[in-house]
Amino acid sequence: MTSFIWQVGTHHIPFLIGTDCAEAVARKLGELEADRLLVISDENVLRLHSQRYEPVLQKAHVTGWPGSEMDKNLAAVESLASQLIVAGVTRRSILIAMGGGVLGNLTGLTAALLFRGIRFVHLPTTLLAMHDSVTSLKQGVNCAGAKNIIGGYHAPTAVFVDTAFLQTLPSAQIRSGLTELVKNALILGGDYAAQLSAALGEPEMDWLGIIQLGIAAKQSLMRDDPHERSAALALEYGHTIGHALELSCGGQLSHGDCVAWGMRCAAWISRDLGYMNESGLERHESWLDRLGELPRPRELADMDEVRRRIRLDNKRGYLPVGADEVAMVLLREPGLVMNAECGVPLTAVRMAAVERMLGCLGRAWQMEQ
Ligand SMILES: NC(=O)c1ccc[n+]([C@@H]2O[C@H](COP(=O)([O-])OP(=O)(O)OC[C@H]3O[C@@H](n4cnc5c(N)ncnc54)[C@H](O)[C@@H]3O)[C@@H](O)[C@H]2O)c1
């Protein structure tokens, strides 16, 4: 097993990363001196992994959560907090989020609110969670059709990554996790893109290496921007449209697939506005091609709904924009993010350009129906 400290702002978060390491995770949890360990887990994960994770689960109170992205809301936080209070949670307890990014966000926000903040650890079980959602202090849930709009910043006490969870992860969820790695390559370029490209070209995936690459990429942007309010806003590439699609498609597409479509749409907008040339667009497409064919929703999303949700994007306010504009992360070319004059990596985009992009998206989706 490898251990390292992930430094973000003033936080020094211990990471342990390995394969099939339930015993080691149980030992490390024991060292944290909690009065109670309370595992909150995705029900799919419990079904598939509770036997293997017996060393952890036998010492903990276990709560299964049957929900999904469409249930990631304040009602779920309240319901979970109520169950934990009944189960005897105290200020010295530790919550353990054993699941994907949805479960991690729900548990992280609940931990931030219980007793105004208790400890929690991440035990991520999806590829996306292993390198992306656990490497963020943001804990949020959805409200009024807007993604992650209610939340706070709360650092995990530790993160335990066990790649053996990937053995049961459906291929669609593997692609979802790869999408955020490809996003990092599109915004960072350089050595990271070269290393990711080489790793994805191997006949067998070296998950430990790939996950550590993703974690390091996020650290490069977040170390001095732990709240993701300036340079690290670039990590939101593809998310303005992606988040709008994710909720509008009602869970038909994964988070990663929506972000991949969101990146393709952002590149169309950048080309349409004359920021990205054809060669840049081709290189952008060839990165997305590495993800294979992106699934379309079985039923075409209502574009009015997508339009409304784009306006509800949770980055509103970082860049002053007009009433008919939306702030988006755009690229001039792969590896080159556009910055506003005030320095944030955001560009004001007129809704007219968004409308043209939605026309392209509608045609792309209908072609395959
Ligand atoms: N806080 C952040 O900065 C941040 C960053 C990225 C993503 N997110 C959030 O993460 C969420 C997406 O997370 P996700 O992609 O992990 O999806 P998810 O948590 O919905 O999990 C996807 C599916 O995989 C199943 N699953 C999980 N682990 C499994 C395993 N080992 N084997 C078999 N099935 C398994 C789950 O039951 C679920 O059906 C979104 O809500 C997104 O907003 C947050």
Side-chain angles (χ1 to χ4, degrees):
M1 295 202 73
T2 308
S3 61
F4 56 90
I5 300 292
W6 195 70
Q7 196 193 331
V8 52
T10 55
H11 300 280
H12 293 77
I13 302 168
F15 264 68
L16 203 69
I17 167 161
T19 304
D20 219 354
C21 41
E23 294 279 359
V25 170
R27 237 182 355 264
K28 285 283 172 191
L29 282 169
E31 291 169 12
L32 296 176
E33 297 184 354
D35 64 351
R36 299 206 74 183
L37 296 173
L38 299 127
V39 171
I40 298 96
S41 187
D42 180 303
E43 285 198 342
N44 281 332
V45 173
L46 277 184
R47 186 170 39 80
L48 295 163
H49 294 275
S50 50
Q51 205 175 349
R52 201 169 61 78
Y53 259 74
E54 190 56 24
V56 170
L57 300 180
Q58 70 182 0
K59 295 183 190 136
H61 177 275
V62 182
T63 304
W65 190 63
S68 68
E69 180 67 43
M70 304 314 285
D71 313 298
K72 193 178 92 170
N73 52 35
L74 271 182
V77 172
E78 185 177 1
S79 159
L80 178 59
S82 307
Q83 291 177 62
L84 295 171
I85 291 164
V86 170
V89 65
T90 80
R91 290 175 188 277
R92 283 190 48 230
S93 304
I94 293 184
L95 307 191
I96 302 165
M98 181 174 168
V102 168
L103 202 283
N105 279 178
L106 179 64
T107 305
L109 185 57
T110 305
L113 296 174
L114 271 171
F115 299 95
R116 299 188 187 84
I118 60 169
R119 292 178 293 169
F120 82 108
V121 306
H122 279 301
L123 182 52
T125 63
T126 63
L127 178 59
L128 182 138
M130 287 178 189
H131 66 84
D132 191 12
S133 58
V134 302
T135 48
S136 174
L137 306 184
K138 293 189 293 187
Q139 315 300 342
V141 294
N142 311 328
C143 184
K147 274 274 297 179
N148 301 338
I149 197 99
I150 295 187
Y153 296 98
H154 194 47
T157 297
V159 179
F160 303 119
V161 177
D162 179 348
T163 61
F165 283 111
L166 299 179
Q167 286 159 10
T168 58
L169 195 65
S171 58
Q173 292 300 331
I174 295 283
R175 184 181 58 244
S176 181
L178 289 175
T179 298
E180 296 279 9
L181 292 160
V182 163
K183 176 203 71 184
N184 294 342
L186 284 168
I187 58 176
L188 291 173
D191 285 351
Y192 170 81
Q195 287 175 46
L196 181 67
S197 182
L200 296 183
E202 292 293 327
E204 284 238 338
M205 291 293 154
D206 163 20
W207 290 125
L208 285 174
I210 288 175
I211 289 163
Q212 287 181 80
L213 197 55
I215 293 171
K218 284 202 66 177
Q219 176 146 34
S220 70
L221 286 169
M222 286 182 58
R223 186 196 287 258
D224 298 324
D225 182 17
H227 296 124
E228 302 177 56
R229 288 175 174 151
S230 52
L233 277 171
L235 293 163
E236 285 285 308
Y237 185 51
H239 284 63
T240 302
I241 314 288
H243 277 164
L245 296 176
E246 194 174 355
L247 293 183
S248 304
C249 291
Q252 291 179 73
L253 298 183
S254 71
H255 177 76
D257 287 338
C258 292
V259 170
W261 278 109
M263 293 193 285
R264 180 168 279 156
C265 292
W268 286 340
I269 290 177
S270 198
R271 193 241 341 236
D272 179 35
L273 296 177
Y275 301 135
M276 187 184 280
N277 62 24
E278 286 301 325
S279 141
L281 189 67
E282 271 171 34
R283 281 181 285 134
H284 191 280
E285 267 303 304
S286 70
W287 268 106
L288 294 183
D289 286 347
R290 287 168 174 266
L291 300 169
E293 180 149 3
L294 295 181
R296 276 84 168 151
R298 288 179 300 281
E299 289 163 37
L300 195 62
D302 176 347
M303 289 301 174
D304 275 342
E305 197 58 22
V306 177
R307 196 173 284 118
R308 186 179 74 80
R309 291 184 203 269
I310 288 172
R311 286 183 173 277
L312 294 178
D313 183 41
N314 66 16
K315 289 183 289 303
R316 277 177 295 154
Y318 282 123
L319 180 71
V321 295
D324 66 336
E325 290 178 321
V326 59
M328 288 180 63
V329 180
L330 290 185
L331 304 184
R332 220 172 256 296
E333 59 179 89
L336 190 56
V337 177
M338 292 176 56
N339 284 316
E341 266 176 28
C342 62
V344 292
L346 291 172
T347 302
V349 175
R350 285 197 180 275
M351 282 309 284
V354 172
E355 290 299 335
R356 289 193 292 277
M357 174 278 294
L358 288 177
C360 293
L361 182 63
R363 284 191 293 282
W365 281 357
Q366 263 158 352
M367 269 192 308
E368 297 294 318
Q369 307 267 319

